Amino acid sequence: MSTDFTIRDRTAVVGLGATPYVKRGQSAPQTLEELAAKAIIAAAADAGLDVPSIDGFAYFAGGFDTGYLMETLGIEEVGFSASLTGAGGGSAGAIGLASAAIVSGMAKTVVCVGAVQQTKLRYGAMPSSYAATAENSFYQSAGLVGPGHMFAMLARRHMHLYGTTREHFAEVAISTRKNAQSHPDALIRKPLTREDYFAAPMIADPHCLFDFCLETDGAVAVILTAAEGAQDLRQKPVLVNACAHGGARDWGRSIYWMNMPDETFASSGHASIARRLYAEADVGPEGIDTAQIYDHFSSQVIMQLEDYGFCAKGEGGPYVASGAIRLEGGVLPVNTDGGQLSGGYVWGMTHVREAVEQLRGTAHNQVEDARYALVTGGPSNIPVSGLILKGSA
Amino acid sequence: MTDKRIAKRPPDSLFQLVTDQWTEPFWDAAREKRLVCAQCSDCGHKRMPPTPFCPTCRSQRIDWIELPGGGVVYAYTIVERGTLPSMEDCLPYVPAVIEPDNGGGARLISNIVDSRVADIAVGARVDIVFDTLAKGALVPRFRLLGFGK
């Protein structure tokens, strides 16, 4: 047994479950916890495991009430119940948290679940619901009601520094929509042309309607176990090759702070995560076959492509304009399920789902011979996170 | 066709001022229509917003220095659509990140007001105005230099 402290290839995603993605509010009268539980039940069935065999929960963004989930799902005992702090930044990192639980022996069968239900509050206005605090008082007077207003500032700065244009944002929206068109679970599947894009209403300049992700309800769960023995379960295991969460102080509270140094301001805050992730993984950016990139905003896809080293800093716009992220003819097919821009938004968990399906070889828009998939967590306040999954031979 | 619209103000109702012992001097000064910045008494580092410790040397001693009130637009967005009903009468409004003069690069999240939307640009010079909000707080905002004069 290896003595180095690493999670590399020691755990595997063995089960995957999801509810349908529906337009914001339409999952009612189901409850949010019910959606999460449905995804967990589906993930256990997919793995060929009994629900009560789950003995750990790894969350992000605060997660759910584990006691309540155990009560309703009949889970007898857990040895691990923990969440990354922050918000959507931890969606990819929660998988690493599950791996840490398993590798350390605290739990054997750990579920990661994310669920969203926007009945009372839409996510597009989420920061307006945050408690008035001494820190929040420094941005709430400015009318920064939604993340879209905040990330528009970063997009503006990126345009100013590097000459990024709305044409570049349009290419992200259009290529992602093309992927959605051939994915049966994607919510928005009508074609999106360049003309449609530029005719769309501006919401928070330079972000127009199609630069924003969808506001949807739904849940996605994955179950992880030790890699050893995972091949005896129902599905082809997908190994956790590397996972990192955290981030640099230069990014910090990011959109709630706006004091990042100039080179970090117009970024996704993922540069330090990418360094740690690639150091841990088998591969660097050149070895990634498909990337599922947290696309709450089209501009942030461009900045993550830079931070993860697929192109140089500032060249994300020309990189996407070259067709690089297209499923057809691209060098790095991105958000092959239609992403959050056109497929569905479950706080980043849809990206985990799509990466697992790609590496099982069961994706609807299958990337041929995909072996390594990158998944990113949301560019947001720290922690941000990244994950490299690996198909088993 | 030139965009002749003037940047409005975001709805007051979204804001409730909360302070703690570290931020209170900033808002107290704002009530006197003064823009101040926290400067570490030991190493001189300037920080915005004010926090309990200097991130450079961990000192808790602060000098509140008064800034002249001018600044430069670092980034901005033009809010064209409301995501909440209270925003409808306030469109367009322009949240902006401002680098105040003499602030040592520390930035303030604010708004550009009373200015022609079409003239707003990264790097534009701005001057401070203080808005009195419905709940009594004064907040620093900015307008493009020379506008309306």
Side-chain angles (χ1 to χ4, degrees), chain B residues 58-95:
Chain B
R58 262 61 64 191
S59 167
Q60 290 200 277
R61 299 200 308 135
I62 287 176
D63 293 324
W64 288 96
I65 57 163
E66 188 164 342
L67 303 183
V72 171
V73 178
Y74 181 81
Y76 67 97
T77 177
I78 306 161
V79 178
E80 300 274 10
R81 289 275 175 126
T83 34
L84 295 171
S86 61
M87 294 160 71
E88 293 300 338
D89 293 335
C90 304
L91 303 173
Y93 68 86
V94 182

Side-chain angles (χ1 to χ4, degrees), chain A residues 52-131:
Chain A
S53 71
I54 293 168
D55 66 350
F57 288 82
Y59 308 108
F60 62 100
F64 295 92
D65 182 342
T66 297
Y68 182 80
L69 290 174
M70 292 169 72
E71 181 183 332
T72 188
L73 289 173
I75 294 169
E76 293 303 323
E77 188 169 353
V78 298
F80 192 82
S81 175
S83 176
L84 296 186
T85 55
S91 53
I95 306 298
L97 184 63
S99 298
I102 293 164
V103 169
S104 66
M106 291 187 193
K108 288 187 163 59
T109 307
V110 181
V111 65
C112 296
V113 61
V116 169
Q117 185 175 48
Q118 308 185 50
T119 41
K120 295 187 190 76
L121 175 76
R122 54 190 295 191
Y123 274 39
M126 185 181 272
S128 70
S129 72
Y130 295 163

Side-chain angles (χ1 to χ4, degrees), chain A residues 142-143 203 205 259-260 262, chain B residues 74 77-78 80 93 107 111 141:
Chain A
I203 306 287
D205 195 325
N259 271 264
M260 302 82 95
D262 205 27
Chain B
Y74 181 81
T77 177
I78 306 161
E80 300 274 10
Y93 68 86
R107 302 184 201 118
N111 294 97
R141 286 178 174 155

Side-chain angles (χ1 to χ4, degrees), chain A residues 128 132-134 137-138 141-145 149 152-153 156-157 160 201-205 249 258-260 262 265, chain B residues 10 14-16 18 20 27 48-49 55 74-78 80-81 83-84 93 95-96 106-107 109-111 122 141:
Chain A
S128 70
T133 65
S137 287
F138 282 86
S141 76
L144 293 174
V145 173
H149 301 142
M153 304 271 204
R156 173 84 60 197
R157 192 73 195 168
H160 173 77
M202 196 60 91
I203 306 287
D205 195 325
R249 188 246 172 204
M258 298 288 184
N259 271 264
M260 302 82 95
D262 205 27
F265 188 95
Chain B
L14 297 176
F15 181 59
Q16 187 197 339
V18 173
D20 60 26
W27 297 104
M48 197 87 82
Y74 181 81
Y76 67 97
T77 177
I78 306 161
E80 300 274 10
R81 289 275 175 126
T83 34
L84 295 171
Y93 68 86
R107 302 184 201 118
I109 302 170
S110 181
N111 294 97
V122 172
R141 286 178 174 155

Side-chain angles (χ1 to χ4, degrees), chain A residues 1 30 40 53 77 161 203 214 256 333 341-342 352 366 392:
Chain A
M1 189 169 152
Q30 298 170 95
I40 293 169
S53 71
E77 188 169 353
L161 288 175
I203 306 287
L214 307 178
Y256 306 105
L341 291 171
S342 292
V352 176
Q366 185 64 45
S392 50

Side-chain angles (χ1 to χ4, degrees), chain A residues 54-336:
Chain A
I54 293 168
D55 66 350
F57 288 82
Y59 308 108
F60 62 100
F64 295 92
D65 182 342
T66 297
Y68 182 80
L69 290 174
M70 292 169 72
E71 181 183 332
T72 188
L73 289 173
I75 294 169
E76 293 303 323
E77 188 169 353
V78 298
F80 192 82
S81 175
S83 176
L84 296 186
T85 55
S91 53
I95 306 298
L97 184 63
S99 298
I102 293 164
V103 169
S104 66
M106 291 187 193
K108 288 187 163 59
T109 307
V110 181
V111 65
C112 296
V113 61
V116 169
Q117 185 175 48
Q118 308 185 50
T119 41
K120 295 187 190 76
L121 175 76
R122 54 190 295 191
Y123 274 39
M126 185 181 272
S128 70
S129 72
Y130 295 163
T133 65
E135 292 79 40
N136 295 356
S137 287
F138 282 86
Y139 71 80
Q140 283 180 331
S141 76
L144 293 174
V145 173
H149 301 142
M150 298 163 163
F151 282 104
M153 304 271 204
L154 278 57
R156 173 84 60 197
R157 192 73 195 168
H158 201 272
M159 295 166 94
H160 173 77
L161 288 175
Y162 307 117
T164 310
T165 67
R166 291 191 64 215
E167 293 282 352
H168 300 144
F169 303 157
E171 167 57 22
V172 174
I174 291 165
S175 64
T176 309
R177 178 64 60 84
K178 278 186 92 69
N179 297 342
Q181 282 176 255
S182 51
H183 197 294
D185 297 334
L187 265 185
I188 310 290
R189 280 180 278 163
K190 62 179 187 193
L192 176 66
T193 65
R194 187 184 166 282
E195 290 66 36
D196 296 333
Y197 177 90
F198 281 98
M202 196 60 91
I203 306 287
D205 195 325
H207 284 160
C208 74
L209 178 68
F210 294 118
D211 297 310
F212 280 68
C213 67
L214 307 178
E215 290 175 309
T216 52
D217 294 358
V220 174
V222 292
I223 293 176
L224 288 90
T225 66
E228 200 177 327
Q231 65 280 3
D232 300 333
L233 294 173
R234 185 173 291 163
Q235 306 292 344
K236 184 177 153 186
V238 171
L239 297 170
V240 178
N241 186 234
C243 191
H245 79 264
R249 188 246 172 204
D250 279 359
W251 180 251
R253 289 190 297 126
S254 66
I255 55 171
Y256 306 105
W257 182 46
M258 298 288 184
N259 271 264
M260 302 82 95
D262 205 27
E263 63 276 16
T264 307
F265 188 95
S267 84
S268 69
H270 277 256
S272 69
I273 295 299
R275 273 194 296 278
R276 290 172 49 208
L277 192 64
Y278 291 137
E280 172 94 1
D282 295 350
V283 293
E286 67 292 335
I288 301 294
D289 300 304
T290 177
Q292 309 303 325
I293 294 188
Y294 198 104
D295 53 342
H296 43 7
F297 303 103
S298 60
S299 54
Q300 278 292 318
V301 173
I302 288 172
M303 293 183 224
Q304 285 173 86
L305 289 166
E306 296 173 0
D307 283 347
Y308 279 93
F310 296 108
C311 58
K313 181 86 190 150
E315 289 176 15
Y319 179 75
V320 299
S322 74
I325 66 171
R326 294 242 173 174
L327 181 62
E328 300 287 332
V331 293
L332 180 76
V334 165
N335 295 348
T336 42

